Amino acid sequence: MTKLPVKYISSGLIIILALFIYGVIGSVFIMNLNLIDAIYYSIITMATVGYGDYIPTTGIQKIFATTLALGGVALLAYVFNIILTNVQEKMSEYSKGARKLKAIEVMEDYYIICGFGRVGKVVFDELTQRNQNVIVIEKSKEICDTIEENENIVVINDDAIEDDLVAKLAGDKCRSVIICTGDDVSNLFIVLTIRETNPTAWIVTRASKLENIKRLKKAGANKIVSPEIIGGKDLYFESAKPHVLKITVKHTTDEIFDEFKIITENGCTLENIEYHIPGIETPLTRKIKTMDLSDGQKFIDNLNSNDDQKLAVENLYKTVNNIHSHLISGPDKPTFDKLIKDLEKQEEIIGINLTNREIAEITAKEIKQY
């Protein structure tokens, strides 16, 4: 709820007090009234009631009464304007808040970002690049005004510490709450607030100090990330778990586009590709980060029009014996289940969420068989 600014309250009280003192002093020395009658006359004149108890007769008395009455009218207008402005602001904020809550209601799934500083912005960019629904809760109005809202993005100018709104929003439709403020105490409080009412919510929080990681974990955070060690992108991937899948496959270059088509048709994002050199644990990684089928088509068209690049890709596939892994992000587990079934029809799946060591052992055995 919007509170009346202190400066308006202070200035209003000062004006009232100054006008009242002027009225009392003038009533005593100009209207020749005693103190009690002077207070009474000042109040009714300032309020423009004018019972007619005391009628100014001399010129100076008339001037005094006029200025006191005009001051009272001006004061009433000032107070009324402040009240009207405050009511309008409240109504506007209420209307805007109702629209935001309505927008959230129609969202199928969403991520909540608490705090839109340097780290929060990186997470926000990672989410929006993947066309995810995002709710940003930020206490700075200036920062909120810099974020462009649309049907996938809702910005709430509020303090996640002082309001239980984040706990209310962290329900079944919330994929993850990502807490990005730079204050570990604030992060801890937000985690506790959410966990009280949402025992199954997936909570990822930033930890500015390594010694606070255990405290945040104990409070109920599923993942704690220190940007000093990793960064905003890792906050996204941690928040996306368990909605990130590593799938190790075997196929030739001729099946690249068909595979990518299956991934995009299932509404998933191909994050990167890891090429596994036989027997070597650390893979060669190529970042992709796309869910747009046209990107895959451009890649294939480029290979078909450039013999050197096509040969380079074919040689890479031969080097790794056609074995490579995809890191894929998606909306939920059912989507991944369907994706795996669709890919099984297209290519050989070696394993799901295998470690690099496990893959190295598999590739080493593949070489021995030849």
Side-chain angles (χ1 to χ4, degrees), residues 129-327:
Q129 285 174 11
R130 295 165 176 81
N131 297 326
Q132 301 293 342
N133 295 322
V134 184
I135 300 172
V136 177
I137 301 178
E138 167 58 46
K139 64 181 179 180
S140 170
K141 187 177 186 306
E142 290 74 17
I143 294 177
C144 289
D145 291 340
T146 64
I147 309 171
E148 185 176 351
E149 293 185 279
N150 55 43
E151 60 181 6
N152 301 114
I153 301 171
V154 175
V155 181
I156 299 175
N157 180 204
D158 204 349
D159 192 339
I161 302 175
E162 298 181 357
D163 201 320
D164 62 350
L165 178 62
V166 62
K168 294 177 182 178
L169 295 177
D172 295 336
K173 294 199 301 179
C174 178
R175 293 182 182 177
S176 177
V177 181
I178 310 168
I179 307 170
C180 303
T181 80
D183 181 16
D184 287 352
V185 175
S186 299
N187 295 343
L188 180 65
F189 186 84
I190 296 171
V191 170
L192 289 170
T193 302
I194 297 170
R195 192 56 77 201
E196 279 182 351
T197 54
N198 297 279
T200 61
W202 187 262
I203 305 174
V204 181
T205 181
R206 170 185 179 181
S208 296
K209 296 181 179 179
L210 297 180
E211 58 266 28
N212 290 328
I213 291 178
K214 289 184 179 179
R215 297 186 181 93
L216 289 163
K217 187 71 175 179
K218 190 174 182 180
N222 298 97
K223 292 287 182 179
I224 300 97
V225 179
S226 176
E228 286 75 9
I229 298 177
I230 46 178
K233 290 186 179 182
D234 298 271
L235 267 172
Y236 162 71
F237 283 118
E238 293 296 349
S239 70
K241 293 178 182 178
H243 306 318
V244 171
L245 174 74
K246 181 178 179 180
I247 181 168
T248 304
V249 300
K250 183 176 182 179
H251 67 72
T252 65
T253 56
D254 295 334
E255 300 172 284
I256 291 176
F257 181 75
D258 292 331
E259 177 190 56
F260 186 64
K261 185 177 180 181
I262 292 172
I263 293 172
T264 57
E265 286 179 345
N266 279 276
C268 296
T269 299
L270 178 59
E271 299 291 346
N272 64 41
I273 302 175
E274 295 179 348
Y275 300 98
H276 302 285
I277 300 174
I280 297 178
E281 186 170 332
T282 304
L284 299 174
T285 302
R286 183 161 66 98
K287 292 185 178 181
I288 306 296
K289 199 169 66 174
T290 182
M291 61 183 302
D292 192 341
L293 185 60
S294 64
D295 290 337
Q297 186 63 61
K298 289 177 183 176
F299 176 74
I300 296 301
D301 291 343
N302 185 56
L303 287 184
N304 292 333
S305 61
N306 192 314
D307 292 337
D308 290 339
Q309 289 190 16
K310 185 174 183 179
L311 181 60
V313 173
E314 289 175 346
N315 287 336
L316 174 60
Y317 269 64
K318 288 179 182 178
T319 301
V320 299
N321 197 26
N322 294 326
I323 296 176
H324 52 281
S325 298
H326 300 298
L327 184 65

Side-chain angles (χ1 to χ4, degrees), residues 21-188:
I21 293 173
Y22 166 74
V24 172
I25 295 174
S27 298
V28 172
F29 293 100
I30 298 175
M31 297 296 295
N32 300 315
L33 301 177
N34 60 47
L35 182 60
I36 299 299
D37 290 340
I39 293 173
Y40 168 73
Y41 180 76
S42 298
I43 292 174
I44 63 172
T45 305
M46 287 172 59
T48 66
V49 175
Y51 292 119
D53 305 53
Y54 306 101
I55 301 175
T57 55
T58 65
I60 192 170
Q61 288 179 343
K62 291 177 181 180
I63 293 173
F64 165 72
T66 301
T67 56
L68 187 60
L70 288 175
V73 171
L75 181 61
L76 287 174
Y78 174 80
V79 172
F80 179 75
N81 180 62
I82 291 177
I83 294 173
L84 182 61
T85 300
N86 191 47
V87 170
Q88 288 177 337
E89 289 178 354
K90 287 182 179 180
M91 291 299 294
S92 176
E93 289 188 6
Y94 177 80
S95 177
K96 188 184 294 184
R99 289 198 302 269
K100 291 178 185 292
L101 291 177
K102 185 65 177 179
I104 293 171
E105 285 180 6
V106 300
M107 282 184 176
E108 290 299 324
D109 298 288
Y110 50 77
Y111 290 83
I112 300 174
I113 298 177
C114 298
F116 198 78
R118 176 178 55 84
V119 174
K121 187 179 185 305
V122 174
V123 180
F124 175 81
D125 290 341
E126 292 292 325
L127 289 168
T128 53
Q129 285 174 11
R130 295 165 176 81
N131 297 326
Q132 301 293 342
N133 295 322
V134 184
I135 300 172
V136 177
I137 301 178
E138 167 58 46
K139 64 181 179 180
S140 170
K141 187 177 186 306
E142 290 74 17
I143 294 177
C144 289
D145 291 340
T146 64
I147 309 171
E148 185 176 351
E149 293 185 279
N150 55 43
E151 60 181 6
N152 301 114
I153 301 171
V154 175
V155 181
I156 299 175
N157 180 204
D158 204 349
D159 192 339
I161 302 175
E162 298 181 357
D163 201 320
D164 62 350
L165 178 62
V166 62
K168 294 177 182 178
L169 295 177
D172 295 336
K173 294 199 301 179
C174 178
R175 293 182 182 177
S176 177
V177 181
I178 310 168
I179 307 170
C180 303
T181 80
D183 181 16
D184 287 352
V185 175
S186 299
N187 295 343
L188 180 65

